Amino acid sequence: MKWKKLKQQIWEWRGVLIAAPTVAGLLLGIRAMGWLQPLEWAALDQFFQLRPVEPTDERIVIVGINESDLKKVGQIPVPDASIAKALENIKALKPRAIGLDLYRDLPIQPGHEDLVKVFESTPNLIGIEKKVEDKNSNAIAPPAELKKHNQVGVNDVVVDGDGKLRRGLLFLTTKDGETEPSLGLQLAFIYLEAQGIKPRDSGNGNLRLGKAVFVPFEENDGAYIKADAGGYQLMLNYRGPAHSFTTIPLTDILENRVSPDLVRDRIVLVGPVASSLNDFFYTPYSNSLVKAPEKTPGVEIQANLISQILSSALDDRPSIKPWPNHIEELWIFGWSCIGALVSWKLRSPRNTTISVLFAGVILVGGSYLLFLKGWWVPVLPSGLALAGSAIAITGYIGSLEREDRQTVMNLFGRHVTPQIAEAIWRDRHELLQEGRLLGRKLTATVLFTDIKDFSTITELNEPEMLMTWLNEYMEAMTKLVLEYGGVVDKFIGDSIMAVFGVPIPRTTEEEIARDAQQAVQCAVAMANTLKALNEKWQAQDRPVAAMRIGISTGKVLIGSIGSSQRLDYTTIGDSVNVASRLESYDKSFDGGLCRILISENTYIYSQNKFSTKFIGSVLLKGRQNPEKIYQVITE
């Protein structure tokens, strides 16, 4: 019994059980092919842009070479003499570390000898080199004097396919297998060493600095598909858009117009910020919707990487990290289930749309809150799964409704009133199962009609005329059944079987009585209609007719019977048999133009409403117990 109930529940929920995993699987497949990658990057960028800009990291100061500085220096690139003087002036302000984000592989006179002396005498100075060669650029060597003392960091960057920079390097692995630290990491090491923090192994090969363990980026993390994960990369957690760090013009340093408090014990980065020097990158804050998206100077990219390392090690500020792949897949599948369940339970397209939009707001809002905590959640695939499964179930429900409507139309056709048809359609989920009308027991009133001496009429008239005549009779009688709230169950030759009180069950005695009274009223109306038809037929020199009607009220069983190719709605039960027997009872008993016989139950429900005459307690054909029968007087 439990297994049967479980099977029924599975069948009822089959749409959800199929749609949710199918939509989720389809989206995971599309995602695995990388088709959603640009859209997921864009969603991540929106979260960055929505997030409040974080306070300026006072541990880092940028000495920016701007357009005014270039005019005053009067030379591009800036000569070694100016760089040497700037570094000497910065040293005098006692910073904790200095990063020179300028290539100095070749002398730029005048002043190269002075710059070499600064390199030799500044142990907390870190220069740069470019290791990676590509079609757009070549490798660039570091200053030899700094390389000799391991005071060099790579400043290579990893740009995504859409041209934006979302990842930063801690270490770079060369083709020869050498591991080179980045400029940002070298400067962070110097700063943290003064705090008593040294790099350690977390136990699984990951870098530990203070409170932070830096988990390296993998090629399929988050939305990325087979990305270049070479070296030791991190997702960059930018503090804000361009100009988020304290920046001092180079001229102010050269002319000693900087307060020592602004530089002391800080990391100072020296690099270009002038647009003419073309050291700029698109970041998540570069809004692609505007005509000219803002770019961020390369030196600020380095500042963001340093700030991320220091903040993680000292302040427990989270890095941006994705969930493990299996958690992301469960998350997407979960939202697919939500979309399918909401659509299946509500069933209304309007209510489903509102609910899915509300769920989408929760998804985006929840994903944003998780982003603020450092988690990169697959919001776009989840939203597509939510909407996709809801659309799939809505379409599936529409298909089921079309099938149910077709089933109702096939079963009832034109033989119910619009009101009954609407009630059937309203309660279809209770009435229909697997394309059939569920069998159910209820109390109803059954009416049988038959034309008296129809065989004789058939024998005496031509088939074509007879068919027209019979259809006219049937049309008139069927119309009356519908007018009085009945259902035409079937036509049997010249007979009509109608039922009052189906297929919607009657729950009160008043409703059952009303059905019985309407059945009798329908019979009386049939008698009056037949009289009018006879007058018309007589004038047309066509046959006239008399009819017999039997009516019985009691328990019946209703449902659909037949094969998958042909189903018929029908009513069976003792009351059907009684009504049929009343119609055919003692054909010698003349009742005039229309003889109407009713059972005792029908009489009880309709007494005092019609003129009746007790016929007697008779034993109807096929029954073991006598039945009290009454005649309704129509004249």
Side-chain angles (χ1 to χ4, degrees), residues 24-37 40 220 222-226 329 332 381:
L26 182 63
L27 279 167
L28 289 172
I30 292 173
R31 192 176 192 236
M33 289 186 283
W35 294 354
L36 298 181
Q37 188 172 245
E40 290 197 71
N220 291 317
Y224 287 91
I225 304 297
K226 296 182 180 179
E329 290 167 2
I332 293 169

Side-chain angles (χ1 to χ4, degrees), residues 83 87 98-102 104 115 119 125-128 183 270:
I83 299 301
L87 292 175
I98 305 172
L100 182 61
D101 192 20
L102 289 170
R104 278 299 184 266
L115 183 59
F119 286 162
L125 172 65
I126 304 296
I128 60 170
L183 170 64
V270 181

Side-chain angles (χ1 to χ4, degrees), residues 280-526:
F280 288 83
F281 297 90
Y282 292 113
T283 72
Y285 290 95
S286 303
N287 194 336
S288 58
L289 298 178
V290 300
K291 188 174 182 180
E294 185 179 34
K295 289 185 174 182
T296 299
V299 68
E300 280 201 44
I301 302 293
Q302 298 295 338
N304 272 284
L305 177 60
I306 297 167
S307 176
Q308 183 170 337
I309 296 170
L310 298 184
S311 298
S312 298
L314 299 174
D315 308 330
D316 206 21
R317 177 175 177 254
S319 296
I320 301 297
K321 49 192 176 295
W323 281 340
N325 286 337
H326 67 281
I327 300 297
E328 288 188 336
E329 290 167 2
L330 286 174
W331 175 259
I332 293 169
F333 175 69
W335 284 102
S336 182
C337 290
I338 290 172
L341 287 170
V342 166
S343 184
W344 182 252
K345 292 297 288 183
L346 295 179
R347 293 182 175 265
S348 161
R350 178 178 179 275
N351 293 338
T352 296
T353 301
I354 293 172
S355 299
V356 168
L357 288 174
F358 181 71
V361 171
I362 294 174
L363 167 61
V364 174
S367 299
Y368 176 68
L369 292 176
L370 289 169
F371 172 75
L372 295 179
K373 298 294 183 181
W375 293 105
W376 181 18
V377 175
V379 60
L380 179 75
S382 304
L384 290 175
L386 172 70
S389 59
I391 292 171
I393 290 296
T394 300
Y396 174 68
I397 290 172
S399 175
L400 288 182
E401 289 187 349
R402 284 191 295 273
E403 290 179 8
D404 287 349
R405 184 179 289 276
Q406 188 60 47
T407 298
V408 170
M409 292 302 102
N410 289 341
L411 289 173
F412 294 99
R414 297 165 50 208
H415 306 316
V416 295
T417 62
Q419 293 79 9
I420 294 178
E422 182 61 32
I424 294 169
W425 185 244
R426 184 189 64 234
D427 297 339
R428 64 190 180 279
H429 302 300
E430 289 74 33
L431 296 174
L432 296 170
Q433 182 176 325
E434 300 181 26
R436 293 175 178 264
L437 194 68
L438 293 173
R440 58 173 56 194
K441 196 173 185 179
L442 44 79
T443 301
T445 298
V446 182
L447 179 151
F448 264 93
T449 73
D450 190 50
I451 297 176
K452 183 178 179 182
D453 297 327
F454 182 69
S455 297
T456 303
I457 296 173
T458 303
E459 183 180 352
L460 297 176
N461 293 278
E462 293 296 323
E464 294 82 357
M465 185 282 298
L466 183 65
M467 187 61 69
T468 302
W469 177 83
L470 183 60
N471 280 331
E472 188 175 349
Y473 165 81
M474 291 291 190
E475 185 72 28
M477 300 306 157
T478 300
K479 182 179 178 182
L480 291 171
V481 172
L482 300 183
E483 285 181 3
Y484 285 94
V487 173
V488 177
D489 187 290
K490 60 176 65 71
F491 299 103
I492 311 168
D494 61 312
S495 299
I496 300 173
M497 174 181 168
V499 188
F500 296 77
V502 296
I504 310 301
R506 306 314 194 210
T507 57
T508 65
E509 288 294 305
E510 290 77 9
E511 291 176 329
I512 295 171
R514 184 165 60 250
D515 289 331
Q517 293 163 18
Q518 286 180 310
V520 177
Q521 286 176 342
C522 179
V524 173
M526 285 178 171

Side-chain angles (χ1 to χ4, degrees), residues 577-603:
N577 296 331
V578 170
S580 176
R581 298 293 183 263
L582 288 174
E583 177 274 314
S584 61
Y585 170 74
D586 191 2
K587 296 182 179 180
S588 63
F589 169 43
D590 187 13
L593 181 65
C594 180
R595 189 191 75 181
I596 304 173
L597 298 182
I598 63 175
S599 68
E600 183 178 19
N601 283 343
T602 305
Y603 170 77

